Amino acid sequence: MLALPCLRQSSTARQFLNSLSCRRQCLATWNLHPSIQEFTSTLAKRQPGFLVRPNDIRFLSKPREFYTLLLNMIRNAQSRIFLSSLYIGSSESELISTLDAALSRNPDLKLHLQLDLNRSTRPGQSSTATILLPLLRRFPSQVHVSMFRSPALRGMAAELVPPRFNEGWGTWHAKIYGVDDDVVISGANLNKSYFTNRQDRYVHIKNQPQVAQYCLSFLETVSSFSFRLLPAGTSMPYSSQYSMTRGDYTLHWLKPDTHPHRIHKKAQSALTMFQASHHSKLSDSVMAEGRTEMAKLKPTKQPPSFSESIADPRVMLFPVIQAGQFNICEEEAALQSLFRYLSSFKPAGMSLDRPLLDLTSGYFGLYKLYLDLILKSNIDTRIVCSAPKANGFYGSNGISGRIPEGYTYLEQRFMKAVLDAGRSWVAERDGEGRGVQLSEWERDGWTYHAKGIWLSPSPQSPPILTMFGSTNLNSRSAHLDTELSFIMAIPSEQQTTGVQSTERRGLRTPSFDGSTEADASLWELRRQLQSEVQQIREHTDDWKGGKRHVRPLTKLIVHLVKGML
């Protein structure tokens, strides 16, 4: 074992640790593509960050793959399962039985669920709260279920708004599915359609204890200002007058000194402190890694050079929280920085490459700030929205049946703003173009729920950056829902040694000259992102919303609900 005093006595050790710390925390300024170096450096200074080997990240493309992976993860659970979703569908008996079997098999296994209260407690015997009661009764010491309730719906409105519509005032929206040291980040909920014919994104991050612990700690932080679900009659030493019993279950409020409608300051403080604590932990982990690597060096050996130590490049992951009603706006700040640096980026030499931004949202009604960022920039942007028939509310009864039409109205307003800004899409060769393009996704028998951003250094190149998670990038996500997303920055092969990249010549595959396995894995990860974009766009067509009629009453409803869509 290498004792810490030995490190203090060795200038070689100090030099190496300082180099390593700089390498890890300033990775963005060294081996990332120049177009995102400054942005990533800025992000690293203010957000928690994780360094992950590219082989430990996989992008899934099909709902069935996501469901199969989730069940297998649960079946193999050793110590912890932590799941975060809007709700669990009433027909998910296989998921519940798989959780039951895992808990039965291992008495030391813990299950933590974080859900949305309003969506998970709709009246009836098929609510999420009701179907979880058997687990809570059988495994009282192993299962913890927390339910977040948005404080935006309060007072008389909380009593009058029907259960079907109370989600309009904000939800718990983060989608995190973790088991032991594996995590899947998605936009999908735990319901049959999301496992069969509702298209979303699914990112599997494997063998990453720090990322998994971050996600679990995030859920535990939110549970501190959430209700706790327990069978009715279960005594709780700190339950308050704000607890609610509904039939067979009780929602316990464990903060007797705080009204559940007035959690804003506590939530803001808890989330701010949480992010700050994990930002500092990155530095601690860097130094721990340095000690491990130093232990492998002979006392007389010189520290590895900066270029030698980068031989095992990592992907950078930055979690960003958006909880507008608690004044946590990390997503907004991150996207403002991204557009600012992209707009000022000038390619070196004679390169004519222009970055390409792909953006998608199943509920497309861009938040005004993001709309302005796109329209006022010179960044070519392709957007995919949901066609009316691919909207999950298509064919619904009552007022919710107007939701697809409401999004058509928002799209019409968006395209008018694009036209007024002089940013209409101008097609060029091979399907490329300049400006802002809107396409719509439609697939027979499917609905669309994907969301996120991909950034490529040129239209011919695979992405070097993506944002994935729960945000729909609309006003609702910005101001009402509580979201968690990740920004991933991938080192570019042309910035590392041993690779002769043909990217600059417009080719899709790099030419490796003595390349390392890490170089190949970086390229493969970028290819996965490229494939993800291509598979989404396979089911798109030109936007036809300009020809669709929107009824005056629908327009009035959209104006009345404002940012709730």
Side-chain angles (χ1 to χ4, degrees):
M1 178 179 290
L2 188 66
L4 196 58
C6 294
L7 287 175
R8 293 196 182 105
Q9 294 169 5
S10 168
S11 61
T12 298
R14 287 197 304 272
Q15 181 184 353
F16 176 65
L17 286 177
N18 289 336
S19 172
L20 181 68
S21 180
C22 178
R23 169 168 68 96
R24 289 306 192 212
Q25 296 190 55
C26 303
L27 181 63
T29 64
W30 198 84
N31 72 329
L32 296 177
H33 190 275
S35 62
I36 60 171
Q37 283 181 1
E38 289 189 71
F39 165 68
T40 311
S41 179
T42 298
L43 208 57
K45 292 174 183 176
R46 63 190 186 201
Q47 295 295 136
F50 304 96
L51 298 158
V52 181
R53 289 184 174 86
N55 283 334
D56 290 333
I57 301 173
R58 183 165 67 105
F59 285 78
L60 287 68
S61 60
K62 298 179 176 63
R64 178 56 61 176
E65 290 178 324
F66 163 57
Y67 185 52
T68 300
L69 172 63
L70 178 61
L71 292 182
N72 287 336
M73 287 168 59
I74 293 171
R75 290 179 183 124
N76 295 316
Q78 299 296 314
S79 61
R80 60 187 182 182
I81 302 172
F82 46 101
L83 309 177
S84 168
S85 186
L86 184 66
Y87 68 106
I88 300 175
S90 59
S91 62
E92 298 316 309
S93 57
E94 183 180 23
L95 175 60
I96 299 297
S97 64
T98 303
L99 289 169
D100 186 294
L103 292 164
S104 297
R105 189 168 51 249
N106 182 358
D108 296 324
L109 182 63
K110 305 295 184 184
L111 169 63
H112 186 110
L113 285 161
Q114 181 70 45
L115 305 163
D116 181 72
L117 188 149
N118 287 332
R119 183 62 180 85
S120 297
T121 60
R122 285 183 178 176
Q125 292 302 307
S126 59
S127 72
T128 301
T130 301
I131 65 175
L132 288 175
L133 286 177
L135 291 180
L136 288 164
R137 291 187 180 114
R138 286 197 64 193
F139 311 102
S141 64
Q142 293 176 257
V143 179
H144 181 107
V145 181
S146 290
M147 293 193 171
F148 170 86
R149 185 185 184 281
S150 170
L153 182 62
R154 56 186 180 268
M156 188 64 70
E159 303 297 327
L160 297 178
V161 174
R164 190 178 180 187
F165 299 103
N166 55 18
E167 297 169 48
W169 279 260
T171 66
W172 170 253
H173 204 241
K175 318 295 168 58
I176 304 164
Y177 306 113
V179 175
D180 297 331
D181 294 336
D182 282 19
V183 180
V184 176
I185 303 297
S186 182
N189 290 302
L190 298 175
N191 189 32
K192 181 180 180 180
S193 62
Y194 293 91
F195 304 148
T196 53
N197 62 346
R198 188 157 171 77
Q199 185 63 56
D200 215 303
R201 300 180 70 194
Y202 328 91
V203 187
H204 183 200
I205 304 168
K206 302 179 291 182
N207 307 315
Q208 297 298 318
Q210 291 182 340
V211 177
Q213 186 57 50
Y214 171 89
C215 291
L216 175 57
S217 297
F218 175 57
L219 301 187
E220 291 173 338
T221 299
V222 175
S223 73
S224 70
F225 47 89
S226 299
F227 288 82
R228 183 172 179 182
L229 175 70
L230 286 170
T234 305
S235 62
M236 289 291 291
Y238 303 109
S239 188
S240 76
Q241 59 179 321
Y242 307 117
S243 299
M244 302 175 286
T245 296
R246 300 179 178 178
D248 294 337
Y249 62 83
T250 298
L251 295 162
H252 289 273
W253 182 252
L254 305 180
K255 299 282 186 181
D257 60 333
T258 304
H259 194 286
H261 294 168
R262 302 187 186 96
I263 61 172
H264 301 78
K265 290 184 179 180
K266 286 186 179 293
Q268 179 181 1
S269 175
L271 292 172
T272 301
M273 292 175 63
F274 168 77
Q275 288 292 76
S277 69
H278 281 271
H279 189 273
S280 64
K281 286 178 182 177
L282 175 62
S283 299
D284 296 339
S285 67
V286 165
M287 299 310 290
E289 181 182 346
R291 296 185 187 99
T292 300
E293 295 191 25
M294 271 301 301
K296 302 174 185 177
L297 298 177
K298 295 179 181 179
T300 57
K301 185 178 179 180
Q302 291 295 315
S305 68
F306 200 74
S307 59
E308 290 172 336
S309 66
I310 205 70
D312 185 19
R314 310 290 178 90
V315 172
M316 298 192 78
L317 283 179
F318 300 100
V320 290
I321 299 172
Q322 184 70 20
Q325 60 180 317
F326 305 135
N327 201 31
I328 304 291
C329 303
E330 295 176 353
E331 175 189 303
E332 293 181 39
L335 291 182
Q336 283 180 297
S337 293
L338 176 62
F339 275 85
R340 181 171 66 253
Y341 288 121
L342 285 178
S343 296
S344 62
F345 171 67
K346 305 294 182 185
M350 301 295 292
S351 174
L352 299 177
D353 286 347
R354 291 168 57 92
L356 174 65
L357 188 83
D358 282 288
L359 182 152
T360 191
S361 173
Y363 296 113
F364 180 71
L366 270 186
Y367 175 37
K368 179 65 164 58
L369 173 64
Y370 303 159
L371 171 66
D372 290 342
L373 290 175
I374 290 174
L375 296 186
K376 294 178 181 179
S377 75
N378 59 352
I379 302 163
D380 300 325
T381 305
R382 301 187 304 183
I383 299 171
V384 174
C385 66
S386 171
K389 288 185 179 180
N391 187 295
F393 291 93
Y394 184 79
S396 295
N397 296 322
I399 194 172
S400 60
R402 290 181 181 262
I403 290 178
E405 190 178 321
Y407 279 104
T408 294
Y409 180 49
L410 293 177
E411 293 157 14
Q412 291 174 350
R413 289 165 50 178
F414 170 76
M415 291 304 288
K416 182 181 184 302
V418 171
L419 179 64
D420 292 345
R423 293 274 283 141
S424 297
W425 184 258
V426 178
E428 296 181 347
R429 66 186 187 282
D430 300 327
E432 297 174 15
R434 298 196 175 200
V436 178
Q437 180 192 54
L438 181 63
S439 304
E440 57 185 41
W441 190 99
E442 184 173 353
R443 183 178 179 185
D444 189 37
W446 285 61
T447 57
Y448 190 67
H449 200 249
K451 65 268 294 181
I453 289 173
W454 301 259
L455 177 70
S456 303
S458 72
Q460 301 86 14
S461 302
I464 51 176
L465 182 143
T466 185
M467 185 170 80
F468 55 89
S470 62
T471 179
N472 281 305
L473 301 166
N474 54 22
S475 295
R476 180 190 173 98
S477 288
H479 296 303
L480 293 173
D481 292 341
T482 301
E483 312 276 11
L484 177 69
S485 299
F486 283 79
I487 294 174
M488 175 191 295
I490 306 174
S492 176
E493 297 83 3
Q494 68 185 41
Q495 305 308 122
T496 60
T497 59
V499 179
Q500 295 178 345
S501 177
T502 58
E503 225 174 316
R504 290 179 178 174
R505 298 199 298 270
L507 301 180
R508 294 184 180 275
T509 305
S511 172
F512 292 98
D513 179 15
S515 63
T516 67
E517 181 180 346
D519 291 324
S521 63
L522 288 172
W523 182 257
E524 170 57 27
L525 185 58
R526 292 181 61 192
R527 287 285 294 171
Q528 287 185 49
L529 289 176
Q530 185 180 51
S531 177
E532 192 181 31
V533 174
Q534 290 171 343
Q535 288 177 13
I536 287 174
R537 296 189 64 82
E538 278 178 7
H539 299 283
T540 64
D541 202 349
D542 294 339
W543 178 71
K544 301 180 180 67
K547 301 176 182 179
R548 297 187 179 109
H549 174 66
V550 179
R551 292 168 286 182
L553 179 57
T554 300
K555 294 180 180 180
L556 176 61
I557 293 172
V558 170
H559 285 290
L560 290 175
V561 301
K562 295 182 179 178
M564 290 184 180
L565 277 180

